[in-house]
Amino acid sequence: MTSFNPRRVRADVPLLGRVINDRPITYLDSASSTVPPRAVIEAMDRYYSLRHANVHRGVYQTANEATDVYEGTRADVARFIGAPGGADEIVFTKNTTESFNLIARSWGAANLRAGDVVLVTEMEHHANIVPWFQLRETTGIEVRFIPVGDDFRLDLSEIDRLLDGVRLLSLTLVSNVLGTRNPVAALAARAHERGALVAVDAAQGVAHDVTDVTQLGADFLCFSAHKMLGPTGLGVLWARRELLEAMPPFLGGGGMIADVRRDGFTPADGPAKFEAGTPPIAETAGLRAAIRYLESLGLSDVAAYEHGLTERALARLDGEFAGRVRVIGPATALDRGGVLSLDVAGVHPHDVAQVLDQFGVCVRPGHHCAKPLMRRFGLAATARASFGPYSIDEDVDVLIDALRHAVAMFS
Amino acid sequence: MSLGNLDELYREIVLDHYRTPRNRGELPVPPAVRVEGFNPLCGDEIALYVEVHDGVLTDIRLSGHGCSISQASSSLMSVAVKGRPLGEVRATIERFKAMMTVGETGADAAPSVADLRTMGELAALQGVAQFPVRIKCATLAWNTLTQALDEAAPSA
């Protein structure tokens, strides 16, 4: 057993002290957004109280301090994901979705031609589907899907054929619906053999296990601060330095230029080229605190803990409801994250979530921005419960108790 | 623990119409008009068939899937409007939507007790207005019906 203690994390997260409908909150929606510890909230508060100024502009002391916070976070992010090229490989965006749009509009538009293939998977979030469809409209690329099998894992039986003509393999590390952890490193190796690049959606991974871009074999990596105990409004795009250097700018405006003349402009060097306008600065202070907090927990220990929690939850859900509650995702915790998409026979996910709310249980009903995947399994929606490093077995107790009420109410 | 709020939302009539929806099915098009409605938030989808003759909504059928509130609301709606003159149908739509806006606009817009009495079983959906995210579930069928009437009888 490890030294990791989820109860210490709970004590650090103010929101987990709330009472909802006369019940202590049972927060099971970390796949949507994690709830931040005090250290993150205080870091942003401290920033606004003491250091706030615009970045990269002033010469006065607080302006320098604000720039130090912003650029220092870039360095912390680089260390956190093992970026071989350091801070220059880290671009701050709004969220994972914007990171994918940046890849598509900048790298994609500059490098892909009609007939080139972008290979995604059937379990992608819309953030890793729609930008490619948009690019298809302007360039005529082909968007191809790796199917998902009945075991809720990628069906790789045709992978050689699917990789034919592929310029970019873009896939999720952990499915936000199924919890499936994909064999990204192995697939990246296959894609690289064909001369393709690899983009990875790590949004559901970064807070739950160690992430190392070299081990993953990634060329691009996207994630969001708010899914790793940090604030909303801030995302990250990591890309290998030579890729970033060759990519054209994304949005235009202040901050992303080296020079502007009446006849044109010269873009800035480095990540600034992709960061037009005043960026989220306080949020980087929050992200920095979140990274340090996660590092202090030890993400290998968090991964081992959540694995056990997920295994026990899967066994209990299977045992308690005699098949009435089906988990849409792998049946065991092997290569799987703590995302439990529930299909309750005869009860619509919206009604499940409504009854659960009455018990203070926060789950997310809906299609989870993965409609191709929902269609694959003939579902309009699921009620999704998902874990964070503060989740405990008692959360699962309350969930099961509330689910019993939902089942009883509608049968 | 108190499940009082839930009982307001899931009244027995609502659960009954969810478990045993009335007027399920399809109608031949034409003479019927078919209109689809979507709630992108929760993935609810309905297909509504209406037939209008001489200013009267003579028949209505519903298919699709959704949560208990959207299913019960469409079932209750079909019973309330079937066989009614279009003017009456449109007035019922207005009254129902007014009942649903209470949560959004405050008590001023709340229908009077007299209004609720004229709504019959539809009044069972009154509790939905206390759950703002569910109002769209309840109004989906009604908005779709408005669209269907506009197509079936543009001038009515």
Side-chain angles (χ1 to χ4, degrees):
Chain A
M1 203 52 216
T2 67
S3 62
F4 173 72
N5 182 355
R7 284 171 211 282
R8 293 237 305 269
V9 183
R10 293 176 82 78
D12 290 337
V13 177
L15 197 137
L16 295 179
R18 262 203 74 171
V19 170
I20 305 279
N21 291 323
D22 304 326
R23 292 277 203 125
I25 192 170
T26 298
Y27 190 80
L28 288 170
D29 198 19
S30 292
S32 282
S33 198
T34 50
V35 281
R38 208 168 276 110
V40 169
I41 301 163
E42 284 172 357
M44 294 201 292
D45 189 48
R46 218 161 36 239
Y47 167 79
Y48 273 126
S49 301
L50 299 172
R51 306 191 209 291
H52 176 66
N54 213 329
V55 290
H56 306 139
R57 307 279 200 283
V59 294
Y60 49 91
Q61 176 142 352
T62 55
N64 284 331
E65 288 174 3
T67 302
D68 285 348
V69 166
Y70 189 72
E71 293 304 326
T73 304
R74 211 191 289 281
D76 281 8
V77 171
R79 185 191 66 241
F80 183 68
I81 59 170
D88 286 349
E89 296 185 328
I90 305 300
V91 178
F92 288 127
T93 61
K94 195 165 64 185
N95 44 40
T96 306
T97 296
E98 190 179 81
S99 298
F100 273 109
N101 277 276
L102 200 167
I103 302 173
R105 307 255 171 142
S106 172
W107 178 84
N111 291 281
L112 300 179
R113 297 288 166 266
D116 284 348
V117 177
V118 171
L119 180 61
V120 299
T121 84
E122 209 174 11
M123 66 169 81
E124 294 310 309
H125 188 285
H126 296 163
N128 189 23
I129 297 175
V130 179
W132 304 116
F133 284 167
Q134 289 176 300
L135 187 64
R136 181 173 67 184
E137 278 166 28
T138 52
T139 63
I141 61 163
E142 181 191 339
V143 182
R144 203 179 277 166
F145 287 80
I146 302 175
V148 174
D150 291 339
D151 59 353
F152 304 107
R153 298 193 185 274
L154 293 179
D155 174 357
L156 299 173
S157 54
E158 302 276 321
I159 190 66
D160 278 325
R161 188 182 55 78
L162 288 169
L163 277 168
D164 227 27
V166 167
R167 299 283 313 279
L168 178 75
L169 167 65
S170 191
L171 80 170
T172 192
L173 179 57
V174 177
S175 162
N176 72 317
V177 178
L178 308 172
T180 308
R181 178 173 276 269
N182 289 318
V184 169
L187 285 169
R190 302 279 284 271
H192 286 149
E193 280 167 20
R194 308 288 194 99
L197 295 179
V198 177
V200 178
D201 177 352
Q204 299 294 340
V206 279
H208 308 279
D209 203 346
V210 177
T211 303
D212 183 300
V213 292
T214 308
Q215 276 176 20
L216 287 173
D219 299 291
F220 301 97
L221 189 90
C222 308
F223 57 98
S224 296
H226 75 99
K227 284 184 165 64
M228 51 183 288
L229 309 185
T232 57
L234 178 63
V236 171
L237 167 66
W238 166 82
R240 283 195 291 109
R241 183 193 294 257
E242 59 270 32
L243 289 170
L244 280 182
E245 279 172 0
M247 281 159 61
F250 176 42
L251 302 174
M256 51 70 72
I257 51 92
D259 187 27
V260 183
R261 304 162 304 276
R262 282 176 52 141
D263 67 346
F265 76 100
T266 308
D269 287 330
K273 179 167 65 176
F274 304 101
E275 296 175 357
T278 297
I281 309 166
E283 286 76 5
T284 62
L287 175 59
R288 185 173 220 189
I291 286 173
R292 291 182 176 183
Y293 188 87
L294 286 170
E295 286 175 339
S296 78
L297 297 181
L299 278 164
S300 311
D301 290 351
V302 170
Y305 169 74
E306 286 188 19
H307 179 87
L309 181 67
T310 304
E311 200 160 57
R312 292 189 295 278
L314 285 168
R316 291 196 56 194
L317 285 163
D318 189 41
E320 300 268 347
F321 293 99
R324 180 105 199 242
V325 174
R326 197 161 60 107
V327 176
I328 307 300
T332 70
L334 179 72
D335 290 330
R336 191 194 199 295
V339 179
L340 306 168
S341 265
L342 306 178
D343 181 37
V344 182
V347 194
H348 190 279
H350 239 89
D351 294 314
V352 174
Q354 191 81 63
V355 176
L356 265 49
D357 172 60
Q358 206 59 219
F359 289 77
V361 179
C362 310
V363 299
R364 160 124 183 241
H367 52 64
H368 316 299
C369 300
K371 289 194 89 169
L373 180 69
M374 303 304 282
R375 287 210 170 86
R376 157 70 179 83
F377 290 105
L379 296 161
T382 66
R384 181 187 65 186
S386 51
F387 298 138
Y390 33 66
S391 302
I392 51 176
D393 289 298
E394 286 87 333
D395 292 333
V396 181
D397 293 342
V398 181
L399 171 70
I400 285 177
D401 190 33
L403 279 171
R404 260 196 225 107
H405 274 260
V407 167
M409 187 159 203
F410 289 92
S411 54
Chain B
M1 65 167 286
S2 156
L3 290 174
N5 282 345
L6 276 190
D7 294 341
E8 277 296 294
L9 183 65
Y10 298 120
R11 299 244 177 104
E12 207 36 60
I13 295 173
V14 173
L15 291 174
D16 173 55
H17 275 261
Y18 172 55
R19 294 184 190 118
T20 323
R22 324 295 198 262
N23 297 304
R24 286 287 290 185
E26 301 174 1
L27 291 171
V29 180
V33 165
R34 179 183 191 275
V35 175
E36 290 179 354
F38 298 96
N39 183 348
L41 195 73
C42 51
D44 288 357
E45 296 176 9
I46 69 163
L48 181 66
Y49 298 80
V50 298
E51 221 174 299
V52 173
H53 291 294
D54 301 328
V56 174
L57 197 160
T58 51
D59 208 353
I60 181 166
R61 290 282 191 282
L62 290 138
S63 65
H65 56 81
C67 67
S68 63
I69 301 302
S70 77
Q71 295 301 289
S73 184
S74 52
S75 174
L76 282 157
M77 177 188 83
S78 70
V79 173
V81 301
K82 191 172 172 177
R84 300 283 165 194
L86 293 189
E88 226 178 275
V89 173
R90 286 196 185 271
T92 304
I93 294 173
E94 285 317 305
R95 279 209 307 278
F96 183 81
K97 290 175 85 168
M99 184 170 83
M100 285 300 114
T101 53
V102 180
E104 288 168 351
T105 57
D108 289 353
S112 67
V113 176
D115 277 349
L116 281 175
R117 259 188 234 126
T118 64
M119 297 194 71
E121 289 201 323
L122 289 175
L125 285 162
Q126 193 193 358
V128 176
Q130 312 305 322
F131 294 80
V133 279
R134 305 304 295 276
I135 292 172
K136 281 198 171 66
C137 310
T139 52
L140 175 65
W142 297 82
N143 290 329
T144 312
L145 177 60
T146 301
Q147 238 181 300
L149 294 185
D150 291 346
E151 279 189 30
S155 56

